[in-house]
Amino acid sequence: MITRRQSLALIGAAATVLSMPALRPARAATTEFRIGWQKNGVLALAKRTGAIEKRLAPRGISVTWSEFTSGPPLLEALGAGSLDFGPTGDVPPLFAQAAGGNLLYVGTYRGPSTGSAILVHKDSPIASLEDLKGRKVAFKRGSSAHNFTVKALRKAGLAVSDVEAIDLPPPDAAAAFKTGSIDAWAIWDPYYAIAEADPQTRVLTTAEGIVDSWSFYFGNGDFTAANPDVLSEVIDELAKTGAWAQSHIEETISALSEITGVPIEVTRTVLTRKGADLGRVHPLTDEAISYQQALADEFHDLGILPKKLTISDIVWLPKAS
């Protein structure tokens, strides 16, 4: 069970301003577009091809990139004005909003729910979700895997309090799973695909039919208010990049494998899962907002978020053309 102290710790972590001397405060008028990125997805492909640089060059805007290993610190930098734009999954922005971060939802990407799974060991006696009761289940608290675990256990008539929840980031969870010190691991691609390739791993369930897979693009609030046309162009360019990547999947597999260092065959598994479509980049939709609001309400009811959120308060939509 997540205690109030743990909840406050999560909020406190989200509120901490990331110390990155190379990043500069946001300006109202811009000649520079500062992107936070992670080594995956459409944004990584756009970085490789220079698509955003080419799109913004006629405006006299240069592009700089800062790499992050996860969503929470990226959102901290974004909310503090050290970045203008960046991506994350569904859960981290809830804590960023609760902490009062100056950021806005500006776009969304819907990934395949088959890209997340709960893994067990090949010879494990765990044969169903019900069998997780009393077992050590690892997931990163405050991540999309946290949401997946909550909903998967509920499907089996269980709650997180019915398992021994182990809070581990993916690299540490991978090591713990390998040594057998945890019984199950809730994880997303490409970590899922890497572990799945091990013959000693068995998939207990994917997230298909349990939880949808939404990711979001965020803009700093001040930057978005001052430069809405830039955000519109960037989201449009990412949609075009994703559509091209999906229609040239073998080239995309090679490119992402090179970017991430993940083997080509594992990358192929990730990009060819049922429902995968890199072109599904859009401005915010009613469906995405409703999903995120339901998630915020649920995490508040579970005591994970200590305050109610209204997602629409921080949603930006481009002007209709």
Side-chain angles (χ1 to χ4, degrees), residues 168-229:
L168 290 174
D172 294 341
F177 186 76
K178 189 81 171 176
T179 61
S181 60
I182 56 175
D183 300 304
W185 179 23
I187 190 57
W188 58 86
D189 277 331
Y191 301 101
Y192 160 31
I194 293 169
E196 183 185 21
D198 186 335
Q200 297 305 309
T201 297
R202 176 162 51 88
V203 177
L204 183 64
T205 183
T206 70
E208 186 175 18
I210 296 176
V211 63
D212 292 329
S213 179
W214 290 93
S215 295
F216 298 94
Y217 295 102
F218 281 81
N220 171 268
D222 293 338
F223 180 91
T224 302
N227 304 278
D229 291 347

Side-chain angles (χ1 to χ4, degrees), residues 33 74-75 78 84-89 92-94 96 103-107 215-220 224 231 235 292 314:
F33 186 60
L74 188 156
L75 291 180
L78 189 79
D84 302 317
F85 181 80
T88 183
L94 302 182
L103 44 77
L104 296 169
Y105 290 83
V106 298
S215 295
F216 298 94
Y217 295 102
F218 281 81
N220 171 268
T224 302
L231 271 300
I235 295 298
Q292 199 70 350
I314 62 166

Side-chain angles (χ1 to χ4, degrees), residues 1-11 91 95 139-143 146-147 149-150 159-163 165-167 298-306:
M1 189 70 179
I2 295 176
T3 66
R4 176 175 174 81
R5 178 177 295 176
Q6 289 168 326
S7 295
L8 292 174
L10 283 167
I11 294 297
V91 175
F95 294 104
F139 57 88
K140 180 56 193 164
R141 185 175 287 122
S143 72
H146 190 167
N147 180 29
T149 302
V150 167
V160 174
S161 57
D162 291 315
V163 303
I166 309 295
D167 179 17
E298 178 176 35
F299 269 40
H300 176 261
D301 292 344
L302 290 171
I304 301 169
L305 280 174

Side-chain angles (χ1 to χ4, degrees), residues 252-263:
T252 300
I253 289 167
S254 295
L256 271 181
S257 176
E258 184 178 325
I259 293 167
T260 63
V262 175

Side-chain angles (χ1 to χ4, degrees), residues 9 87 116 161 174 210 223 229 251 266 309 317:
S116 294
S161 57
I210 296 176
F223 180 91
D229 291 347
E251 292 177 54
V266 174
L309 301 177
L317 295 171

